[in-house]
Amino acid sequence: MGVRLIKISVIYFVIGVIIGYVMSIVHDHTLTGVHVHINLLGWTALTLAGIIYYLFPKLAANKLGLFHFWLHNLGLPIMMVSLTAMLLTNNTAFTGGVAVGATMILIGVLLFAFNVVKNLKLD
Ligand code: HEM
Ligand code: HEM
């Protein structure tokens, strides 16, 4: 799971950097919120989680790890696609999607934190 997360995270890295690059060229920062969270919740957070799961495989082998994996990986695209749609159209109807995705990520992160605190041991 660690390696899979690192591979997923570089896809977010590429997308996040492309958005930043295009925003700089066209001088339109409408999508700054998308750029920031794809880079930070996608690239940095998932890479760090991937490295932690790789170093401590027991964390990846339990239900907490599995739920974190799926909540984060389903929640982030839902949040980012909804946020992009909301920012580009100014239609607040997309807020629901942002909230659903963000809540999934939040629950995933809480499970991850609990897993680390409870099960991370040097052995
Ligand atoms: C070629 C790479 C990148 C380019 C061209 C780029 C470009 C930009 C641009 C144009 C903004 C908008 C600034 C604004 O609206 O005030 C921005 C904001 C931001 N970027 Fe990037 N970015 C790049 C890579 C990254 C990476 C890799 C990260 C994080 C891992 C990152 C994190 C941020 C953050 C946190 C902000 C918000 C800053 C603030 O709150 O004022 N960027 N970036
Ligand atoms: C589900 C989790 C998260 C939610 C719901 C969330 C939500 C938000 C919201 C509502 C804003 C204000 C946007 C605006 O004023 O335009 C924001 C800004 C920001 N967040 Fe998050 N955030 C989350 C996670 C994170 C994480 C994990 C990081 C860093 C590792 C982060 C870094 C930032 C930064 C740098 C900004 C300023 C961006 C800017 O200048 O527009 N966020 N976030």
Side-chain angles (χ1 to χ4, degrees), residues 32-33 36-37 40-41 44 79 102 105-106:
T32 297
V36 164
H37 293 94
L40 297 170
L41 279 168
T44 55
M79 179 178 162
I105 297 168
L106 174 64

Side-chain angles (χ1 to χ4, degrees), residues 75-104:
L76 188 54
I78 292 173
M79 179 178 162
M80 290 302 101
V81 169
S82 307
L83 184 59
T84 304
M86 192 181 93
L87 293 172
L88 292 180
T89 64
N90 273 327
N91 185 343
T92 49
F94 292 108
T95 319
V98 179
V100 168
T103 305
M104 290 170 76

